[in-house]
C-alpha cells in the first residue's frame, strides 16, 4: 500500500486559484497560471496547480457562494466540473484533459472539495456507484457547513466509505495529485465540537489509500485543533493552522504565535499549513478584505517577513495571486533560491525568542550551516540582538543576509537593524 508521508516528503509548493479568482476560476485562468509556473517557477520547485472551490457550479462569479444553487453532478452523486467554465470537461471527461495538460508541463494538478455528499444528490436520492444504496441513506442531515450550502456530512458506515471510495476512484481517473478538503480540519462555527469531522477524515484517508494514486491530502479551514495533532499527522499531509489568511499585518503578526505552537509537529510528510501567500495581484473578482483587483497590501518588508516565516517554520508555500500580472519584483521575491531551500531542506527549525516587538528563529540549512532570522514585529525600525553563546551558536562568524546579499561579521552576538515589520535572515559561514 502507498504510504501517505512519501507523497509530500517536503513542504508542497505551488499555486491555488482562491486568492485571485475565489469561487469562479475558469479553464483559461487555471491553465494560464499553470503555464506561468512552468515557464518561470518550476525550476525553483513550484509544482502544484490547484483549482479551488465551486468548480462544479455553473453560476459562480466571485468569492461569494450562491446558496442552494444547482450543481453539476454525475449519475453516481459525484460533483463534476461545470462545462461552461471548463469546456474540456464535456462528454464525461471531467478534469482529465486539464490534468493531462498540466502534467505535460511537468507540473501536478490539485482540486478543492467540500467534505460530504451534495445536498442535491440527497434531495434527488441519486444512486451511489457500486451499490444499491442511495444518497439519503448515507447523509447526516444535521452535519452541515454553516458558510456553504452545498453538502451534507457522510455517515460513518460501510456505504459512506463506498461513497468516498467512488469519489477518489474518479479523481484518480482524472489524474489528480493533490486534494484540498474543506469544512473538515476545524468546523469553525461549531465551538463545542471543532473537530467533529474526525470520522470523515479517516474515511477520506482510506479512500486515497485504496484509489491507487498518490494524492497529497490538505485539510481546511483552520485553526486546526492542536490537541488533535497526532490524528492529523496520521491521516493528512497538510492542515491549516489558521482561518483564511489575507494581506493584513494583524494576520501576519498572529502567525508567529501559531508557528511557535505548531513547530514541534512539523515532520516529513506532515506539514502544519500557514495558508496561502497573498502576493502579487489578488481579489480579481470582488473585494475581499481590501480593494478589488489589487496588488497585495503587504509592504515589501512584510512580504519578506511572510516568506521568511513560512520558510523557517517549513509551511507549504502556495501562491494565491494572478501570476501573469506579476511585476519583476514579485517574480524576484518568489524565486530566491536560498529562502526556498530553507523551506524545503532545513532542519532543527525552532523559535529562539519572541516578544511583542521581535522574534528570532533558528534552523540549519541543507549543508548544516546555522541560519538566524531576526523579525521586527514593531511599527518602527529597531535593532535586534541575539546572544550567540546562550543558544550554542558559534561566537564569531562571517554571515550573509539572504535577501540583500549583504555581508556581516558577528562576534559573540548576532545584531542588526531591521525595518518595521521586516526581517533579516543570516546564514553563518
Amino acid at each position: 500500500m502507498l504510504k501517505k508521508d512519501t507523497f509530500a516528503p517536503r513542504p508542497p509548493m505551488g499555486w491555488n486559484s482562491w486568492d485571485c479568482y475565489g469561487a469562479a476560476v475558469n479553464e483559461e485562468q487555471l491553465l494560464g497560471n499553470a503555464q506561468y509556473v512552468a515557464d518561470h517557477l518550476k525550476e525553483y520547485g513550484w509544482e502544484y496547480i490547484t483549482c479551488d472551490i465551486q468548480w462544479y457550479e455553473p453560476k459562480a462569479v466571485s468569492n461569494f457562494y450562491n446558496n442552494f444553487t444547482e450543481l453539476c453532478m454525475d449519475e453516481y452523486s459525484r460533483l463534476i466540473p461545470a462545462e461552461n467554465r471548463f469546456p474540456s470537461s464535456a462528454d464525461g471527461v471531467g478534469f482529465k484533459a486539464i490534468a493531462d495538460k498540466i502534467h505535460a508541463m511537468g507540473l501536478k494538478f490539485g482540486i478543492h472539495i467540500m467534505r460530504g455528499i451534495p445536498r442535491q444528490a440527497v434531495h434527488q436520492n441519486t444512486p451511489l456507484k457500486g451499490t444499491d444504496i442511495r444518497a439519503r441513506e448515507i447523509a447526516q442531515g444535521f452535519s452541515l457547513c454553516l458558510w456553504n450550502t452545498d453538502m451534507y456530512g457522510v455517515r460513518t458506515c460501510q456505504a459512506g466509505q463506498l461513497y468516498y471510495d467512488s469519489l477518489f476512484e474518479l479523481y484518480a481517473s482524472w489524474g489528480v495529485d493533490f486534494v484540498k478538503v474543506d469544512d473538515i480540519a476545524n468546523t469553525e462555527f461549531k465551538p463545542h465540537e471543532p473537530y467533529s469531522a474526525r470520522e470523515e477524515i479517516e474515511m477520506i484517508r482510506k479512500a486515497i489509500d485504496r484509489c491507487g494514486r498518490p494524492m497529497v491530502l490538505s485539510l481546511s479551514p483552520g485553526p486546526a485543533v492542536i490537541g488533535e495533532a497526532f490524528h492529523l499527522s496520521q491521516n493528512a499531509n497538510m492542515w491549516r493552522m489558521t482561518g483564511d489568511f489575507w494581506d493584513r499585518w494583524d494576520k501576519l503578526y498572529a502567525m508567529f504565535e501559531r508557528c511557535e505552537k505548531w513547530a514541534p509537529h512539523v515532520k516529513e510528510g506532515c506539514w502544519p499549513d500557514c495558508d496561502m501567500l497573498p502576493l502579487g495581484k489578488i481579489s480579481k473578482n470582488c473585494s475581499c478584505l481590501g480593494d478589488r483587483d489589487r496588488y497585495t497590501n503587504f509592504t515589501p518588508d512584510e512580504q519578506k517577513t511572510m516568506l521568511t516565516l513560512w520558510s523557517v517554520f517549513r509551511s507549504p508555500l502556495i501562491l494565491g495571486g494572478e501570476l501573469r500580472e506579476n511585476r519583476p519584483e514579485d517574480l524576484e521575491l518568489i524565486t530566491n533560491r536560498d529562502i526556498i531551500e530553507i523551506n524545503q531542506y532545513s532542519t532543527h527549525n525552532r523559535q529562539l525568542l519572541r516578544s511583542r516587538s521581535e522574534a528570532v528563529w533558528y534552523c540549519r540549512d541543507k549543508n548544516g550551516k546555522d541560519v538566524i532570522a531576526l523579525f521586527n514585529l514593531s511599527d518602527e525600525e529597531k535593532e535586534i540582538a541575539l546572544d550567540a553563546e546562550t543558544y550554542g551558536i558559534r561566537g564569531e562568524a562571517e554571515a550573509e543576509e539572504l535577501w540583500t546579499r549583504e555581508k556581516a561579521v558577528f562576534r559573540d552576538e548576532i545584531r542588526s537593524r531591521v525595518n518595521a515589520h521586516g526581517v533579516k535572515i543570516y546564514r553563518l559561514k
Side-chain angles (χ1 to χ4, degrees):
M1 187 172 68
L2 297 170
K3 295 182 178 179
K4 71 104 180 162
D5 287 347
T6 64
F7 303 170
R10 297 184 297 278
M13 298 174 60
W15 176 86
N16 176 294
S17 60
W18 172 255
D19 281 359
C20 51
Y21 291 110
V25 69
N26 62 36
E27 182 166 339
E28 184 279 329
Q29 293 158 349
L30 192 69
L31 290 175
N33 278 276
Q35 191 63 59
Y36 183 98
V37 173
D39 292 343
H40 301 285
L41 301 178
K42 182 174 68 173
E43 66 176 290
Y44 298 91
W46 304 93
E47 60 176 344
Y48 289 97
I49 305 297
T50 301
C51 181
D52 210 89
I53 196 167
Q54 304 301 119
W55 40 265
Y56 40 79
E57 183 194 337
K59 297 178 181 178
V61 294
S62 71
N63 288 49
F64 301 106
Y65 308 122
N66 297 312
N67 292 336
F68 305 105
T69 190
E70 182 179 356
L71 308 176
C72 296
M73 189 175 74
D74 73 4
E75 68 269 33
Y76 298 122
S77 310
R78 302 176 298 187
L79 297 173
I80 57 177
E83 292 181 18
N84 65 317
R85 293 168 52 197
F86 302 96
S88 70
S89 69
D91 301 320
V93 172
F95 272 129
K96 187 177 189 310
I98 287 177
D100 286 349
K101 290 181 179 179
I102 288 173
H103 292 153
M105 298 176 193
L107 305 174
K108 296 180 179 179
F109 176 60
I111 59 172
H112 171 291
I113 66 171
M114 297 293 292
R115 73 174 175 94
I117 186 166
R119 290 192 188 194
Q120 179 174 299
V122 176
H123 298 164
Q124 296 174 8
N125 205 23
T126 48
L128 309 183
K129 188 174 188 291
T131 175
D132 295 332
I133 295 171
R134 290 182 173 263
R136 286 180 193 165
E137 298 177 60
I138 69 165
Q140 292 195 67
F142 57 86
S143 179
L144 306 172
C145 174
L146 300 186
W147 46 269
N148 182 289
T149 61
D150 292 345
M151 314 294 276
Y152 289 118
V154 169
R155 290 176 51 226
T156 306
C157 60
Q158 183 179 5
Q161 184 65 60
L162 288 173
Y163 171 71
Y164 271 121
D165 289 351
S166 76
L167 278 188
F168 283 87
E169 176 188 86
L170 178 66
Y171 303 157
S173 75
W174 289 345
V176 171
D177 306 296
F178 180 108
V179 180
K180 174 183 175 181
V181 185
D182 215 337
D183 189 41
I184 199 165
N186 186 331
T187 47
E188 58 183 331
F189 294 100
K190 304 175 185 177
H192 300 298
E193 46 174 350
Y195 202 61
S196 61
R198 165 190 289 269
E199 289 79 10
E200 285 194 76
I201 292 173
E202 293 171 1
M203 286 194 285
I204 289 168
R205 173 77 268 144
K206 289 177 183 176
I208 294 175
D209 292 342
R210 292 171 177 176
C211 80
R213 183 178 181 83
M215 296 182 195
V216 172
L217 176 58
S218 170
L219 304 181
S220 287
V225 180
I226 197 163
E228 299 290 350
F230 178 77
H231 188 259
L232 288 162
S233 70
Q234 292 297 296
N235 290 281
N237 301 107
M238 298 166 47
W239 52 89
R240 283 261 299 277
M241 304 172 355
T242 177
D244 283 3
F245 179 82
W246 284 97
D247 48 335
R248 291 186 356 195
W249 171 248
D250 62 326
K251 288 183 174 288
L252 179 51
Y253 182 89
M255 198 63 70
F256 283 85
E257 181 178 359
R258 298 189 187 281
C259 290
E260 178 183 353
K261 290 179 178 178
W262 279 101
H265 303 287
V266 175
K267 60 181 180 180
E268 182 175 317
C270 304
W271 308 109
D273 180 12
C274 294
D275 200 14
M276 292 161 55
L277 299 159
L279 295 170
K281 181 63 76 71
I282 59 177
S283 292
K284 295 288 291 181
N285 289 326
C286 69
S287 60
C288 191
L289 295 185
D291 294 337
R292 176 176 179 168
D293 199 25
R294 69 182 182 273
Y295 281 101
T296 182
N297 284 323
F298 281 136
T299 67
D301 283 309
E302 290 167 348
Q303 293 174 52
K304 290 177 181 177
T305 288
M306 176 175 61
L307 276 169
T308 304
L309 179 61
W310 269 232
S311 294
V312 295
F313 173 73
R314 302 199 73 196
S315 170
L317 299 178
I318 308 296
L319 298 165
E322 171 47 82
L323 299 175
R324 295 171 294 179
E325 296 186 45
N326 273 354
R327 301 159 295 188
E329 60 266 34
D330 299 319
L331 180 59
E332 181 180 9
L333 186 76
I334 59 179
T335 55
N336 183 309
R337 291 188 186 276
D338 291 307
I339 300 298
I340 291 171
E341 284 184 358
I342 287 168
N343 175 267
Q344 295 288 287
Y345 299 105
S346 60
T347 60
H348 299 78
N349 307 68
R350 63 186 185 273
Q351 181 176 267
L352 299 184
L353 61 88
R354 183 169 64 88
S355 68
R356 291 183 178 180
S357 62
E358 61 188 54
V360 178
W361 275 74
Y362 169 86
C363 65
R364 293 179 190 167
D365 74 3
K366 65 179 183 179
N367 298 313
K369 294 180 180 178
D370 294 328
V371 176
I372 301 291
L374 309 173
F375 296 95
N376 180 1
L377 308 183
S378 74
D379 296 335
E380 297 179 354
E381 180 184 352
K382 65 174 296 188
E383 189 169 71
I384 300 176
L386 178 78
D387 180 70
E389 184 177 357
T390 299
Y391 296 97
I393 301 167
R394 66 200 70 182
E396 181 172 336
E398 295 180 357
E400 180 183 32
E401 206 285 318
L402 299 183
W403 286 111
T404 63
R405 305 301 172 194
E406 295 174 355
K407 302 297 191 290
V409 177
F410 296 119
R411 295 181 177 86
D412 300 325
E413 66 178 359
I414 297 162
R415 177 185 294 271
S416 185
R417 293 200 68 80
V418 183
N419 292 341
H421 299 182
V423 64
K424 293 285 185 68
I425 178 168
Y426 291 100
R427 176 166 50 211
L428 307 186
K429 298 181 179 181

